[in-house]
Amino acid sequence: MKRDNLIRKLVDLVGETHVLTTEDAMSPHLVDWRGRYRGSAVCVVQPGSTAEVSAVVATCALNGVAIVPQGGNTGLCGAATPNPEGGAVVVGLARLNRIRSIDQANNTMTVEAGCLLHDIRAAAAAAQRLFPLSLAAEGSCQIGGNLSTNAGGVQVLRYGNARELTLGLEVVLPSGEVWDALRGLRKNNTGYDLKQLFIGAEGTLGIITAAVLKLFPQPRATETAWLAVASPGAAVSLLGHLQDRFGAALTACELISDVALQIVRRHLHCRAADLPASPWHLLIELSGSDDAATMREGLTSFLAAASDDGRLDNAVLAHNSEQARELWALRENIGEAERREGPSIKHDVALPISVLPEFIALAEQALGAAFPDLRSVVFGHIGDGNLHYNQSRIDAADNLAFLDARPQVNRIVHDLAHRLGGSISAEHGIGQLKRDELPRYKQPLELDLMRAIKRAIDPRGLMNPGKLL
């Protein structure tokens, strides 16, 4: 079908104002958040309902046109950016932004894929419930994208990834058929758990249009503290003691190198109390059903004992919610500060928590030998073994040229993570960025199984081609 005829059919389905065809209108949808990938498209279609998504996909499938699903376009691996060839239709989901229902007795909410994560969390709070998925980009990322990448965030330690927070899905398949599995069931042992195929599939098997999400009771008390520690080994040890003492009340534990902290302070005006000088830092959060006084007393007592026996160098305890937000801003703005600092080579690795210190030490040794003027920015979710491990030159002016070394740096970091029993992608996905890396780290049988699933559900390969596989 000629481009103009296809566009006319899509306009008939969703309305002229919701089919973008000019370069200016499409431009924000054709480049990824980091600016690494820029693609082209026939048009950008913005359906307003599941029925419209179904009709758009069926029309594209009938005419052999590829489809690129796109949520908030905040992904970090280029999964939502079309290929440069320009033969695909981008399907933006921002208009599917309704919270369909909240079932307080069942502790679930049913939401459409275009809902902003921030709005979902706010709606849950208004119903005296917690939806715990929390990301730095929650003001712009959409839940459909969060599910398609199996997003993690800062509270995986207590609540799990997006995969663990999802009970049911509604999905438009590559044929245009709608699979409705919006069930709020915590037990459903009737065969394959098909929803798990689409969570983390990065839009390569279908388009998630709605989901049933788990809710939790709102914590009665929350405590936040910034801890100074001597090394990653000391941080892992302290994490263990925190878990022994507080159990599931420890909802977040973030490792931050001083290099990362200084970049934030250099580029962003994040307010926070004076923090102790230290090569490494932990940002921790406790939350639970204890009253505030009991939780604060318990944390204060723990920190004092840890300081006395040398497990902890220093600590700053947030005295109110504003101070807690200021401490969290230092962590959540690392990515934005890095972007202002200039280009860098970024890694999102997962490792057994026990080997994180070994990984950091060996990686620094290997990278330092290959690149003597290298600087690593290290931060991440130590509580679940996920490090964001990023490299640049000490002199920021050299960073653009340093990107040419990406294959060698990636090989050092990814080979080491793999050797230590880790993964080359913890929460950012594969997209375009790591697609060609997978054969080195996946067993051939794993890739064969993934391709078999892809062929079974999307035999013509029209759904988000060139991503993941």
Side-chain angles (χ1 to χ4, degrees), residues 212-343:
V212 180
L213 306 174
K214 292 181 185 177
L215 300 180
F216 297 84
Q218 278 280 9
R220 292 177 58 192
T222 300
E223 293 291 339
T224 303
W226 187 281
L227 315 181
V229 292
S231 67
V236 169
S237 176
L238 189 60
L239 167 64
H241 289 294
L242 283 162
Q243 291 175 311
D244 288 343
R245 170 61 179 83
F246 297 105
L250 180 66
T251 48
C253 186
E254 299 289 296
L255 179 70
I256 304 162
S257 69
D258 198 57
V259 173
L261 176 61
Q262 296 313 317
I263 289 176
V264 174
R265 292 194 141 168
R266 181 157 58 246
H267 291 282
L268 298 167
H269 300 292
C270 295
R271 296 175 55 199
D274 290 336
L275 300 177
S278 178
W280 295 92
H281 309 267
L282 280 181
L283 177 59
I284 67 168
E285 180 182 274
L286 303 180
S287 65
S289 58
D290 284 346
D291 64 85
T294 300
M295 181 171 285
R296 175 168 287 266
E297 180 182 352
L299 180 56
T300 301
S301 174
F302 174 88
L303 295 177
S307 180
D308 289 342
D309 65 21
R311 287 176 286 160
L312 173 65
D313 291 344
N314 211 327
V316 172
L317 184 61
H319 291 290
N320 52 50
S321 59
E322 181 180 357
Q323 289 182 359
R325 284 193 296 270
E326 290 170 358
L327 292 176
W328 273 108
L330 293 171
R331 164 61 183 90
E332 292 172 345
N333 282 288
I334 294 173
E336 177 60 27
E338 278 195 293
R339 186 160 74 154
R340 297 189 187 190
E341 181 88 350

Side-chain angles (χ1 to χ4, degrees), residues 429-457:
I430 298 298
Q432 303 177 58
L433 180 66
K434 301 177 185 177
R435 179 193 60 207
D436 297 333
E437 293 272 283
L438 273 189
R440 184 174 178 87
Y441 304 108
K442 282 281 192 185
Q443 299 175 29
L445 180 58
E446 286 181 291
L447 290 173
D448 288 345
L449 289 170
M450 290 169 64
R451 294 188 183 105
I453 292 169
K454 172 71 170 174
R455 286 193 300 270
I457 297 176

Side-chain angles (χ1 to χ4, degrees), residues 139-426:
S140 52
C141 64
Q142 297 172 13
I143 192 64
N146 298 148
L147 298 178
S148 293
T149 56
N150 187 29
V154 298
Q155 298 201 66
V156 171
L157 172 62
R158 167 63 179 87
Y159 297 102
N161 291 315
R163 192 181 297 281
E164 284 75 45
L165 297 172
T166 307
L167 294 176
L169 288 182
E170 177 185 81
V171 181
V172 174
L173 300 175
S175 62
E177 297 171 283
V178 179
W179 176 55
D180 184 351
L182 290 173
R183 304 181 187 93
L185 300 176
R186 288 164 177 81
K187 288 184 175 180
N188 181 14
N189 197 12
T190 56
Y192 304 133
D193 190 356
L194 296 178
K195 70 177 181 293
Q196 299 297 355
L197 290 176
F198 300 96
I199 299 173
E202 302 185 52
T204 61
L205 299 178
I207 301 179
I208 295 172
T209 51
V212 180
L213 306 174
K214 292 181 185 177
L215 300 180
F216 297 84
Q218 278 280 9
R220 292 177 58 192
T222 300
E223 293 291 339
T224 303
W226 187 281
L227 315 181
V229 292
S231 67
V236 169
S237 176
L238 189 60
L239 167 64
H241 289 294
L242 283 162
Q243 291 175 311
D244 288 343
R245 170 61 179 83
F246 297 105
L250 180 66
T251 48
C253 186
E254 299 289 296
L255 179 70
I256 304 162
S257 69
D258 198 57
V259 173
L261 176 61
Q262 296 313 317
I263 289 176
V264 174
R265 292 194 141 168
R266 181 157 58 246
H267 291 282
L268 298 167
H269 300 292
C270 295
R271 296 175 55 199
D274 290 336
L275 300 177
S278 178
W280 295 92
H281 309 267
L282 280 181
L283 177 59
I284 67 168
E285 180 182 274
L286 303 180
S287 65
S289 58
D290 284 346
D291 64 85
T294 300
M295 181 171 285
R296 175 168 287 266
E297 180 182 352
L299 180 56
T300 301
S301 174
F302 174 88
L303 295 177
S307 180
D308 289 342
D309 65 21
R311 287 176 286 160
L312 173 65
D313 291 344
N314 211 327
V316 172
L317 184 61
H319 291 290
N320 52 50
S321 59
E322 181 180 357
Q323 289 182 359
R325 284 193 296 270
E326 290 170 358
L327 292 176
W328 273 108
L330 293 171
R331 164 61 183 90
E332 292 172 345
N333 282 288
I334 294 173
E336 177 60 27
E338 278 195 293
R339 186 160 74 154
R340 297 189 187 190
E341 181 88 350
S344 63
I345 300 173
K346 295 179 170 61
H347 304 94
D348 165 49
V349 296
L351 293 136
I353 296 168
S354 56
V355 303
L356 285 173
E358 181 182 4
F359 169 82
I360 293 171
L362 292 177
E364 290 300 288
Q365 181 181 359
L367 289 169
F371 305 97
D373 57 347
L374 189 79
R375 179 190 64 181
S376 290
V377 177
V378 186
F379 62 101
H381 319 300
I382 188 174
D384 56 58
N386 175 194
L387 281 185
H388 302 304
Y389 187 71
N390 307 332
Q391 284 69 47
S392 59
R393 294 290 193 187
I394 294 174
D395 186 346
D398 296 334
N399 281 342
L400 190 59
F402 178 58
L403 294 182
D404 292 337
R406 183 184 289 122
Q408 186 179 356
V409 174
N410 286 346
R411 181 57 50 84
I412 291 171
V413 173
H414 290 163
D415 278 4
L416 179 59
H418 182 69
R419 177 162 66 84
L420 294 176
S423 166
I424 67 170
S425 178

Side-chain angles (χ1 to χ4, degrees), residues 456-469:
I457 297 176
D458 182 22
R460 300 169 67 190
L462 296 179
M463 192 61 69
N464 211 11
K467 317 297 169 52
L468 186 56
L469 292 170

